[in-house]
Amino acid sequence: MEGSTAEAHEERPDGGLWEHPRFWLWLIAAGAVLIAAFFIARLISL
């Protein structure tokens, strides 16, 4: 007899790391703002 004798289990739907796109969007936007603020501060300090 072939196959596994283990019981079937519920599999999580696909998504994983990308399940919360708003979080990742916010994180990327916050990083872009910080980098822009750094360059703006350098321009002002010249």
Side-chain angles (χ1 to χ4, degrees):
M1 179 177 206
E2 290 184 29
S4 174
T5 57
E7 291 187 26
H9 60 279
E10 288 280 327
E11 290 199 21
R12 281 186 83 210
D14 286 333
L17 190 63
W18 304 108
E19 251 182 286
H20 304 287
R22 286 189 183 179
F23 169 75
W24 295 110
L25 182 63
W26 182 88
L27 196 63
I28 291 167
V33 167
L34 285 173
I35 291 169
F38 171 75
F39 282 105
I40 290 170
R42 285 196 59 186
L43 279 172
I44 292 172
S45 69
L46 286 178

